Amino acid sequence: GQNIDQPTEMTATEGAIVQINCTYQTSGFNGLFWYQQHAGEAPTFLSYNVLDGLEEKGRFSSFLSRSKGYSYLLLKELQMKDSASYLCAVRGNAGNMLTFGGGTRLMVKP
Amino acid sequence: KAGVTQTPRYLIKTRGQQVTLSCSPISGHRSVSWYQQTPGQGLQFLFEYFSETQRNKGNFPGRFSGRQFSNSRSEMNVSTLELGDSALYLCASSSGTGGSQPQHFGDGTRLSIL
């Protein structure tokens, strides 16, 4: 079976750092993706992890531990425009099929 | 490079009707996947096509079907519409399989069933 968990909502302050966690239990694993989705818009790709460790891309970093079935997305120097839903998704062993968590709605306050 | 294009953007149908949604992937992308997004269930995988062949299918009833054409454009069809089919239907394309290539999403078709 496939199970991906992330917090439903988080609130943080502009300029701060926030960490969004994702735990997964899947029958196969071929990479973990993070997407950002603003209300009424398409999800946009943020990061990809397939090996253990940290991947950094500007203000965004993503970490993966395959043995623990755990990932996090770290957002630094938060801006108001970072208010959005953040989706954790796991790709299995067959094709490009993604299994998504329920998404974390992040609200950034001044 | 143009992104993933989905048409129509909005659609209103009544129960029992059928609907066809269209997706044009990014030029050169051969893999097209479809997802349903609802407030209660989040993003759920429908099916994936690669080179005109269905490669994966999600846990949806047979009323949901799709196909891919030789130019990689894809359509999905839902027959005998039910109220619960109201959702945002998202199409995503990718250049290949596996690796670090992400899926790129279109803006979706918002389907409302009355």
Side-chain angles (χ1 to χ4, degrees):
Chain A
Q2 316 280 78
N3 191 41
I4 301 176
D5 288 316
Q6 18 176 164
T8 306
E9 284 187 358
M10 298 183 71
T11 302
T13 305
E14 192 176 15
I17 299 173
V18 70
Q19 178 175 311
I20 303 174
N21 296 324
C22 170
T23 58
Y24 64 91
Q25 290 176 303
T26 56
S27 54
F29 181 85
N30 190 18
L32 186 144
F33 295 82
W34 284 95
Y35 283 85
Q36 179 192 62
Q37 187 178 26
H38 285 100
E41 298 182 11
T44 55
F45 168 71
L46 288 178
S47 70
Y48 165 77
N49 295 74
V50 68
L51 299 176
D52 290 353
L54 189 69
E55 293 284 340
E56 297 186 83
K57 194 187 290 186
R59 295 191 298 116
F60 295 77
S61 303
S62 58
F63 172 83
L64 176 68
S65 168
R66 289 172 298 172
S67 62
K68 295 182 179 177
Y70 168 70
S71 173
Y72 68 71
L73 180 70
L74 194 71
L75 292 77
K76 305 174 189 173
E77 301 169 13
L78 279 172
Q79 302 175 10
M80 299 298 292
K81 67 178 182 179
D82 297 329
S83 292
S85 286
Y86 291 85
L87 306 167
C88 171
V90 171
R91 182 173 60 199
N93 292 330
N96 288 318
M97 171 183 164
L98 294 177
T99 301
F100 282 86
T104 299
R105 190 166 66 184
L106 174 67
M107 288 181 285
V108 179
K109 296 186 174 179
Chain B
K1 211 178 206 184
V4 178
T5 304
Q6 291 188 245
T7 56
R9 287 295 310 279
Y10 303 92
L11 206 48
I12 299 175
K13 291 285 187 179
T14 57
R15 281 183 299 172
Q17 287 187 309
Q18 67 95 27
V19 67
T20 299
L21 311 181
S22 180
C23 171
S24 293
I26 292 171
S27 178
H29 284 193
R30 297 165 63 191
S31 168
V32 173
S33 297
W34 289 88
Y35 295 85
Q36 181 196 65
Q37 187 173 31
T38 59
Q41 299 296 318
L43 265 156
Q44 292 187 290
F45 172 78
L46 280 157
F47 23 67
E48 178 195 1
Y49 288 88
F50 185 85
S51 293
E52 301 180 67
T53 301
Q54 186 180 88
R55 192 155 61 172
N56 288 298
K57 190 176 193 304
N59 191 25
F60 279 82
R63 301 185 295 108
F64 292 80
S65 63
R67 58 179 176 167
Q68 187 179 33
F69 302 95
S70 58
N71 61 358
S72 293
R73 191 177 70 84
S74 177
E75 289 181 346
M76 68 163 279
N77 185 77
V78 188
S79 61
T80 319
L81 286 165
E82 300 177 359
L83 291 177
D85 296 334
S86 294
L88 179 67
Y89 290 88
L90 291 162
C91 169
S93 76
S94 178
S95 60
T97 301
S100 62
Q101 293 301 315
Q103 291 187 41
H104 298 275
F105 285 84
D107 288 333
T109 294
R110 186 164 294 281
L111 176 62
S112 298
I113 311 303
L114 304 179

